[in-house]
Amino acid sequence: MPYLPIPGVDLYYEDTGGDGVPVVFLHALTGTADSWVHQIPAFTAAGYRCITYDRRGWARSQPKSSADHAEVGSDDLHALIEGLSLERAHLVATAAGGIVAIDYALEHPERVRSLVAANTIGGVQDEAYVAVRQRLRPKQIQDLPPELRELGPSYRGTDPEGVRRWVEIEEAGGLSEPRPFPPVRDAITFARLASMNVPTLVLAGEADLLSPPALMRMLAAGIPGARYQSIPEVGHAGFWERPNVWNGIVLEFIAGH
């Protein structure tokens, strides 16, 4: 299994290799590199080089000490991109992975071909935005079991085997206790987002309890030129629940960049 040694952690990653344009996938709080099993075949078939990794503190990327646990996520991503000699890459991120990807796009726009921020609050700290977020996702929702909180009801009711596999990957991530959002290099605000110069797709799930469309539209409105799109019925894990639809939207978007 390939690991990239960086300060404080040996970062686990998987790389399909080849000469295609690289796409780096960033998983959610409830996920690992294995979460992208429905994406890798479709993206490699489209000619892309696909890289997935366990973010620091998840699954196989365990910090070497507790002091190394809270490293800035975008720094780890930059180390991965540098370590694999990726000149420029598409970033495809979901949920908390989207916070890392947005932070990276703000810090290193010259290394990002495009950004897909799916089902994510984006890490925006503006008071008005945080207030909306807190009203839309109160503690009662966040305290639900992960599969009820994150998977849409249509999916949970019709694909029990898919739910079982999603839970299996979620449990392998090692989140025995709630974990804070990934630390960022600088506070993400709408003032900072206004300067972002990276083609961006904000992709929502219409049954998402954690990053509902109202919040995702606010995020998209704050990013210059961002495209907003939503998928009916899916919850917080749209990439898993309706991968054929999700993949088609994302592949069409990144092909233009």
Side-chain angles (χ1 to χ4, degrees):
M1 296 189 295
Y3 286 86
L4 178 72
I6 62 176
V9 67
D10 292 332
L11 205 65
Y12 175 83
Y13 72 93
E14 297 180 5
D15 182 356
T16 61
D19 298 326
V21 173
V23 181
V24 180
F25 295 84
L26 293 94
H27 65 76
L29 284 178
T30 47
T32 71
D34 298 333
S35 297
W36 302 105
V37 293
H38 299 310
Q39 280 64 55
I40 303 308
F43 282 72
T44 53
Y48 292 99
R49 174 184 175 184
C50 298
I51 297 103
T52 62
Y53 72 108
D54 292 343
R55 293 191 287 109
R56 183 185 299 247
W58 275 260
R60 294 147 291 200
S61 294
Q62 290 305 312
K64 295 176 182 177
S65 77
S66 58
D68 296 318
H69 187 77
E71 187 69 21
V72 171
S74 59
D75 288 350
D76 287 352
L77 175 57
H78 190 58
L80 179 69
I81 287 174
E82 290 276 285
L84 297 180
S85 301
L86 309 180
E87 184 178 348
R88 295 175 70 224
H90 298 289
L91 302 182
V92 175
T94 188
I99 299 174
V100 177
I102 289 171
D103 190 38
Y104 188 81
L106 287 166
E107 293 289 324
H108 301 281
E110 75 285 353
R111 306 300 290 272
V112 183
R113 288 178 176 269
S114 74
L115 166 64
V116 176
N119 301 92
T120 182
I121 63 173
V124 176
Q125 294 300 305
D126 294 69
E127 185 176 343
Y129 182 84
V130 171
V132 172
R133 188 188 82 201
Q134 290 173 338
R135 290 193 294 269
L136 287 172
R137 46 188 292 173
K139 187 175 184 298
Q140 295 94 320
I141 287 176
Q142 300 196 59
D143 286 346
L144 289 170
E147 64 272 23
L148 297 182
R149 185 179 66 223
E150 303 205 13
L151 298 175
S154 294
Y155 182 77
R156 284 188 284 105
T158 60
D159 194 341
E161 176 56 26
V163 172
R164 184 201 64 78
R165 178 60 181 140
W166 184 91
V167 170
E168 184 177 75
I169 293 172
E170 183 270 328
E171 291 176 344
L175 293 184
S176 57
E177 297 179 359
R179 185 173 296 177
F181 290 119
V184 295
R185 173 56 51 197
D186 245 332
I188 297 173
T189 64
F190 283 119
R192 287 191 72 207
L193 289 177
S195 68
M196 197 159 88
N197 187 29
V198 171
T200 301
L201 168 65
V202 174
L203 185 55
E206 293 180 10
D208 188 349
L209 295 177
L210 295 179
S211 303
L215 197 69
M216 297 288 286
R217 284 193 293 268
M218 290 177 69
L219 177 63
I223 301 173
R227 170 179 154 189
Y228 169 85
Q229 191 162 347
S230 65
I231 302 177
E233 295 192 62
V234 304
H236 197 56
F239 69 97
W240 184 272
E241 297 173 49
R242 296 188 69 188
N244 291 341
V245 174
W246 197 95
N247 293 347
I249 292 169
V250 174
L251 284 167
E252 182 272 330
F253 176 76
I254 69 174
H257 305 287

